[in-house]
């Protein structure tokens, strides 16, 4: 491996750790408890990481930050769902191009919202209820307004941060 590739890989790993830590902080410490879980803006950092890092690194940072937040906040039961959902959320965005904020990435918020709402609701309604129950699924989907608030807060954080970073050509400076 050349020295250039080593430096490039080290940068990617460093930024993966940095984004994992930010996701953890914005999820575990800046949240509002709601029903079975909590509402936070940590997903906004996942969106940002996915627009900056190559896909495998972005997926890793989303999973690491989200799982650490659940595990260290006392919501261990949610770790399996979080690992899958945050990994999939990262795939809704692209680091292609020179800008963080693009139409494609803004539209990525929509499938991310669907993954979040459906993923956590199905997990709560089936896995946590101990099996399929229509009543449990219906009850789980009552959390949808909290998830929408979470996605809206995350979208605002992502767009504001992304616009600020785009103004200073952040992606060009770190690659």
């Amino acid at each position: 491996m050349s020295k250039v590739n080593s430096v490039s890989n080290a940068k990617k790993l460093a930024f993966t750790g940095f984004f994992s830590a930010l996701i953890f902080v914005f999820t575990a410490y800046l949240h509002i408890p709601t029903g079975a879980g909590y509402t936070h803006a940590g997903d906004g950092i996942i969106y940002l990481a996915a627009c900056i890092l190559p896909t495998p690194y972005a997926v890793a940072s989303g999973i690491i930050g989200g799982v650490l937040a659940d595990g260290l906040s006392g919501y261990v039961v949610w770790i399996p769902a979080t690992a899958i959902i945050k990994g999939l959320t990262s795939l809704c965005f692209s680091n292609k191009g020179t800008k963080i904020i693009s139409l494609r990435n803004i539209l990525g918020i929509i499938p991310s919202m669907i993954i979040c709402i459906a993923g956590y609701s199905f997990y709560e309604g089936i896995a946590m209820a101990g099996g399929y129950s229509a009543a449990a699924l219906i009850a789980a989907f009552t959390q949808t307004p909290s998830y929408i608030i979470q996605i809206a807060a995350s979208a605002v954080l992502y767009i504001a941060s992304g616009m600020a970073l785009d103004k200073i050509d952040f992606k060009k400076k770190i690659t």
Side-chain angles (χ1 to χ4, degrees), residues 67 70 76-85 123:
V67 164
D70 282 352
V76 178
V77 70
W78 292 98
I79 288 175
T82 293
I84 294 166
I85 292 164
Y123 181 77

Side-chain angles (χ1 to χ4, degrees), residues 6 38 57:
S6 294
Y38 52 83
Y57 297 89

Side-chain angles (χ1 to χ4, degrees), residues 17 33 48 56 79 87 91 93 103 106 119 124 131 149 160 167:
L48 201 59
I79 288 175
L91 298 176
F93 301 87
L103 179 59
I106 289 174
E124 180 181 352
I149 291 168
K167 280 189 180 194

Side-chain angles (χ1 to χ4, degrees), residues 11-147:
K11 275 177 135 177
K12 290 174 193 169
L13 287 173
F15 274 105
T16 300
F18 173 72
F19 280 115
S20 297
L22 281 179
I23 292 162
F24 167 71
V25 168
F26 275 79
T27 304
Y29 292 108
L30 303 172
H31 69 256
I32 301 166
T34 56
Y38 52 83
T39 298
H40 58 83
D43 287 358
I45 306 299
I46 293 174
Y47 306 163
L48 201 59
C51 294
I52 294 171
L53 296 171
T55 302
Y57 297 89
V59 169
S61 70
I63 292 170
I64 292 166
V67 164
L68 282 173
D70 282 352
L72 298 174
S73 296
Y75 294 94
V76 178
V77 70
W78 292 98
I79 288 175
T82 293
I84 294 166
I85 292 164
K86 299 313 176 191
L88 291 173
T89 293
S90 298
L91 298 176
C92 296
F93 301 87
S94 173
N95 73 331
K96 306 296 185 237
T98 59
K99 297 290 183 187
I100 295 166
I101 301 298
S102 66
L103 179 59
R104 187 238 183 269
N105 286 332
I106 289 174
L107 291 175
I109 295 167
I110 297 166
S112 171
M113 178 178 64
I114 294 166
I115 290 166
C116 178
I117 293 169
Y120 282 114
S121 296
F122 278 114
Y123 181 77
E124 180 181 352
I126 296 172
M128 292 183 59
Y132 177 79
S133 159
L137 274 175
I138 291 168
F141 273 93
T142 63
Q143 292 289 321
T144 298
S146 295
Y147 293 130

